[in-house]
Amino acid sequence: MHIGQGLAIIDRIRDLTSDVRELTLRLLEPSELVFSPGQSLSFEVPTARGSKPAIRYYSLASPPNQPRRLVLLLSASEQGIGPNYLFTKKAGEKIPFGGPNGNFCLHDDGPRNILFVATGTGIAPFRSMLFSLFERPITKTVTLFWGLRSEQDIYYQHELDALARRHPNFSFHIALSRAQKNWSGAKGRVTQLVENIPVVDDLAVYVCGNKRMVMEVTDIIRQKGNCPLYREKYYDELERKCLS
Ligand SMILES: Cc1cc2nc3c(=O)[nH]c(=O)nc-3n(C[C@H](O)[C@H](O)[C@H](O)COP(=O)(O)OP(=O)(O)OC[C@H]3O[C@@H](n4cnc5c(N)ncnc54)[C@H](O)[C@@H]3O)c2cc1C
Ligand SMILES: NC(=O)c1ccc[n+]([C@@H]2O[C@H](COP(=O)([O-])OP(=O)(O)OC[C@H]3O[C@@H](n4cnc5c(N)ncnc54)[C@H](OP(=O)(O)O)[C@@H]3O)[C@@H](O)[C@H]2O)c1
C-alpha cells in the first residue's frame, strides 16, 4: 500500500547512540498524516548520475496521535545509499517523502497476549505500536524483547521504563549480545529469549529488525506451536524465493 507524496521539514536531529539517529519531521504538506502504527515513509534516494533514484523505507517510530511531527530512527550500521542520504540531512532542510506505506500493523487477535521481538532500529514500528496500544486501558500482557549489542547501544530506556511503571501489563527485556561485565540483564542474542518461552499458544508475535533474526525467530516460534506471527511482507517473498 503506497498512498501519497508529501513534504516535511527536518525539525530535530538527535544522535541516540554513535550509530542511531532520531529524525523528527514536521509536516508541511499535508499538515497532518493519517497512518497506522507500523507503517513507514519512503524516500527517493539519489543514485549514480543519470540513473533513477532508489526508494528506501523507514518505519514511523511515533504514534498516529502525533500526526504533525513524525519520528524516524536511522541506523548507520549499514553504509548504503539510504543511510548515506538521510544522515546528510540538516535541521531546517525540507525533505519530500512518500507514504504512509505498508501493512505491518497491529492486528486484532482477541485476548492473545502480544510479544514484540526487535533488534536495533527494528524497535521503530514497535515504539509507535506501544504508544498506540497504551493510549487506552488494555488487559492483555504486552512484552518487548529487544536485542542490542552493548550498553552504549541502549536508547529509549527511560521511556520504556516509564511505560512499564504506568502499565504493569507491559514489560521489556533488553538482550545484549556483547554486554560488558556489569550488565545484569539478559546476555546473548534476543533469539535466546524467544527460545526460552515455554508456550506460544496464547501469543501474537511481531518481529522486526535484522533479517536473519526475523527468519530465525519465525522458525523458533513455528517450532514451538501455532500462533499468529507478523513481520514485513518482504519476508514472505524471501521465503517463497528460497522454496522455489
Ligand atoms: C518497510 C521498511 C521499513 C524500514 N524501516 C527502517 C527504519 O526504521 N530504520 C532503519 O534504519 N532502517 C529501516 N529499513 C531499512 C532501510 O530501508 C534500508 O534498507 C537501510 O537503511 C539500508 O539502506 P541501503 O541503502 O543500504 O539499502 P539496502 O539494505 O542495500 O537495501 C537494498 C534493497 O533491499 C530492500 N530491503 C532491505 N531490507 C528490507 C526489508 N526488511 N523489507 C523490504 N525491503 C528491504 C531495500 O528497501 C532496498 O530496496 C526499513 C526497510 C523497510 C523495507
Ligand atoms: N520495518 C522494517 O523492516 C525495519 C524497521 C526498522 C529497522 N529495520 C532493519 O533492522 C535492522 C536493525 O539493524 P541495526 O543496525 O539497528 O542493528 P543490528 O546491526 O542488526 O544489531 C543489533 C543486534 O542484532 C543482533 N543480531 C545480529 N544477527 C542476529 C541474528 N541472526 N539473530 C539474532 N540477533 C542477531 C546483533 O548481535 P551480534 O552482536 O551477535 O551481531 C545485535 O545484538 C536494520 O537492518 C534495519 O534495516 C527494519
Side-chain angles (χ1 to χ4, degrees), residues 20 59 75 77-78 104 119-125 147-149 155 175-178 189-191 208-213 216 232 235:
V20 177
S59 299
S75 168
S77 66
E78 291 151 292
F104 181 52
T119 51
T121 53
I123 191 72
L148 295 165
R149 291 220 160 83
Y155 50 95
L176 295 184
S177 53
R178 306 180 200 187
R189 285 183 161 182
V190 73
T191 32
C208 189
N210 179 286
K211 285 181 202 165
R212 284 177 190 275
M213 180 282 290
E216 286 171 28
E232 293 284 0
Y235 294 98

Side-chain angles (χ1 to χ4, degrees):
M1 188 174 21
H2 186 114
I3 308 294
Q5 295 298 317
L7 184 69
I9 193 160
I10 299 186
D11 204 36
R12 188 169 78 147
I13 297 177
R14 274 204 305 160
D15 285 327
L16 302 179
T17 69
S18 58
D19 272 348
V20 177
R21 175 165 287 187
E22 182 194 67
L23 281 192
T24 304
L25 308 183
R26 183 164 50 80
L27 288 183
L28 297 174
E29 184 56 48
S31 59
E32 294 194 346
L33 192 73
V34 178
F35 65 96
S36 299
Q39 286 193 298
S40 57
L41 296 187
S42 50
F43 297 92
E44 284 194 353
V45 176
T47 52
R49 191 178 295 195
S51 311
K52 267 186 18 189
I55 306 288
R56 291 292 182 268
Y57 295 87
Y58 293 87
S59 299
L60 287 153
S62 49
N65 70 4
Q66 290 169 35
R68 292 165 189 259
R69 278 167 63 87
L70 310 175
V71 174
L72 304 175
L73 278 185
L74 313 174
S75 168
S77 66
E78 291 151 292
Q79 293 290 317
I81 54 170
N84 285 352
Y85 168 72
L86 286 171
F87 269 89
T88 60
K89 293 287 156 200
K90 305 260 184 296
E93 242 182 277
K94 289 181 183 166
I95 183 166
F97 66 88
N101 311 290
N103 300 312
F104 181 52
C105 297
L106 284 167
H107 293 249
D108 182 359
D109 284 302
R112 281 177 180 277
N113 296 319
I114 294 179
L115 172 64
F116 294 120
V117 184
T119 51
T121 53
I123 191 72
F126 298 152
R127 183 177 186 261
S128 179
M129 290 180 187
L130 282 169
F131 283 133
S132 302
L133 272 169
F134 286 108
E135 263 169 33
R136 43 191 174 274
I138 53 167
T139 50
K140 62 177 69 191
T141 299
V142 180
T143 308
L144 166 68
F145 290 167
W146 189 13
L148 295 165
R149 291 220 160 83
S150 68
E151 286 81 348
Q152 294 94 296
D153 297 311
I154 300 175
Y155 50 95
Y156 289 156
Q157 188 169 10
H158 292 306
E159 62 178 52
L160 290 172
D161 276 333
L163 199 65
R165 271 196 306 276
R166 280 200 305 277
H167 304 281
N169 52 337
F170 170 64
S171 63
F172 70 99
H173 306 272
I174 294 177
L176 295 184
S177 53
R178 306 180 200 187
Q180 285 143 16
K181 281 199 188 116
N182 296 334
W183 176 247
S184 57
K187 289 183 183 166
R189 285 183 161 182
V190 73
T191 32
Q192 195 54 53
L193 293 177
V194 180
E195 288 275 13
N196 294 344
I197 302 171
V199 279
V200 299
D201 300 353
D202 61 341
L203 290 181
V205 181
Y206 295 74
V207 197
C208 189
N210 179 286
K211 285 181 202 165
R212 284 177 190 275
M213 180 282 290
V214 174
M215 301 307 262
E216 286 171 28
V217 167
T218 302
D219 287 345
I220 297 168
I221 295 288
R222 284 184 184 152
Q223 277 166 22
K224 281 184 180 283
N226 210 356
C227 70
L229 184 140
Y230 304 107
R231 54 192 190 170
E232 293 284 0
K233 201 173 63 197
Y234 169 75
Y235 294 98
D236 302 334
E237 288 155 21
L238 266 188
E239 272 181 348
R240 267 197 298 278
K241 274 191 204 147
C242 290
L243 292 173
S244 64

